[in-house]
Amino acid sequence: MVNQALTKPASRVAAAPASTIRKPRGLSGTGGRTAALFLTPFFAVFALAMVAPVIYSIVLSFFAQQKSGLGFGEAKTAFVGLENYLQVLQSEAFVGGIGRLALYCAMYIPCMVGGALAFALLLDAAVARARKLFQLLVFLPHAVPGVIAALIWAYLYTPGVSPIVSVLETGGISLNFLDAHLILPSIVNIAVWEWTGYNVIVLFTALQAVPREVLEAARVDGAGEIRAALSIKLPLILPALSVIMLFTVIGTLQLFTEPSIISKATASVTSTWVPNMWAYDAAFNRHNLNQAAAASIIIALMAAVLSWAVTRFSSRMNKA
């Protein structure tokens, strides 16, 4: 009797008609069509705004405008292969810009990431009432557009009008922030001022996800704030720190706005000071779109290689 009672529900389920059993709705059903309907505008805009320009730049970089008849004939578009890439890489101004950009990265990334991490840890340990005020004060510089920030600092760097330079001269310190020897640290300072606050918010948000019970247990064991920050908080926010490093490396290769604005105030920054400025000068001053396209592809390849290296290094750090 017991066996019959146990087997009776199973037989009923087995005898249930197949039409009553719900099947999971796949992507080929209504849900898939709805998703495709909403994703189509995104992919269309992405293809037109991102993929098409990249493809056009690649095609453009393999051609050049050539004139016949000792340069007096009509210009014709000719396939030159990798000649534009070779000319770009043989340009002393472009290679010098890459070296200058490498120095910029070596100065900017440690200062900005280290400062953002320090501020985030301090905010996480601060009194609750003071956090919101400090967050606002730290984030405010990032709310200023890059062009406006560069103009503000160009004013603060210019001798004769800068209150900072005047105060330093009153104390017997004579500094020309626009001099060739100080122009790179001056531009690094602008970028650090702009982006530190943004990354502080990212890291502070990651710190808020750290389990409070883990920190309480560490304090019970006698760990101070510094020990807890280095041994517990820092390892737990390494994924967020890795994302910041990735976007920072990509952003440094796009350096353009700050030196372009500063170049109007000093001759220390030329029109080809960094690779992006070299490409802009080639396209709009020398009217050589083919070399500009080749330079842009080289910069994109540099960004891809560095992004891959940072991602691999970050993954190994996270696993360790």
Side-chain angles (χ1 to χ4, degrees):
M1 295 295 292
V2 175
N3 293 334
Q4 292 178 357
L6 291 175
T7 57
K8 190 175 292 184
S11 62
R12 290 178 180 176
V13 174
S19 59
T20 61
I21 301 177
R22 294 184 178 180
K23 297 181 180 180
R25 184 169 56 186
L27 291 179
S28 60
T30 306
R33 289 193 294 269
T34 303
L37 179 64
F38 281 99
L39 289 175
T40 298
F42 165 76
F43 284 112
V45 174
F46 180 79
L48 291 175
M50 296 292 295
V51 178
V54 171
I55 295 176
Y56 179 70
S57 297
I58 294 174
V59 173
L60 197 64
S61 65
F62 291 115
F63 292 86
Q65 298 293 324
Q66 296 180 346
K67 294 183 178 181
S68 59
L70 300 177
F72 297 102
E74 183 179 357
K76 296 182 180 179
T77 302
F79 179 80
V80 295
L82 298 176
E83 183 178 342
N84 288 318
Y85 292 92
L86 294 176
Q87 291 179 358
V88 171
L89 294 175
Q90 290 173 357
S91 171
E92 294 182 1
F94 186 83
V95 176
I98 294 177
R100 206 172 288 114
L101 191 61
L103 291 176
Y104 172 85
C105 292
M107 298 172 63
Y108 167 67
I109 294 177
C111 291
M112 193 278 296
V113 176
L117 182 60
F119 274 117
L121 292 172
L122 289 173
L123 281 175
D124 188 59
V127 181
R129 293 181 179 179
R131 285 178 182 173
K132 292 185 179 180
L133 176 61
F134 288 144
Q135 286 179 9
L136 177 63
L137 293 177
V138 170
F139 186 76
L140 271 179
H142 181 70
V144 179
V147 175
I148 303 301
L151 288 172
I152 292 172
W153 281 100
Y155 164 76
L156 294 175
Y157 288 153
T158 304
V161 297
S162 170
I164 297 177
V165 175
S166 300
V167 170
L168 291 176
E169 289 179 349
T170 303
I173 302 175
S174 179
L175 285 178
N176 183 6
F177 295 102
L178 300 178
D179 186 70
H181 301 289
L182 291 177
I183 192 62
L184 184 59
S186 299
I187 293 178
V188 169
N189 174 67
I190 299 175
V192 169
W193 184 81
E194 284 184 276
W195 288 98
T196 300
Y198 171 81
N199 292 291
V200 166
I201 300 302
V202 174
L203 292 175
F204 178 73
T205 304
L207 285 170
Q208 294 302 293
V210 175
R212 296 295 120 176
E213 56 270 16
V214 176
L215 297 176
E216 292 297 333
R219 293 189 180 96
V220 171
D221 291 339
E225 290 294 337
I226 297 179
R227 181 64 182 275
L230 296 178
S231 301
I232 299 176
K233 295 180 181 180
L234 185 57
L236 291 177
I237 64 170
L238 278 180
L241 197 60
S242 301
V243 173
I244 285 177
M245 287 293 299
L246 177 62
F247 287 121
T248 301
V249 169
I250 296 174
T252 54
L253 293 177
Q254 299 175 3
L255 180 65
F256 178 81
T257 302
E258 292 82 1
S260 296
I261 298 298
I262 296 296
S263 66
K264 305 298 189 294
T266 177
S268 301
V269 179
T270 62
S271 60
T272 58
W273 201 69
V274 289
N276 273 333
M277 294 179 67
W278 192 97
Y280 181 89
D281 180 73
F284 299 103
N285 292 335
R286 291 184 278 121
H287 305 289
N288 194 331
L289 296 177
N290 305 98
Q291 284 192 6
S296 65
I297 298 301
I298 292 173
I299 296 171
L301 291 175
M302 291 169 53
V305 171
L306 288 176
S307 300
W308 175 83
V310 171
T311 303
R312 288 293 301 272
F313 177 77
S314 300
S315 62
R316 289 182 180 180
M317 291 292 294
N318 292 330
K319 290 179 181 178

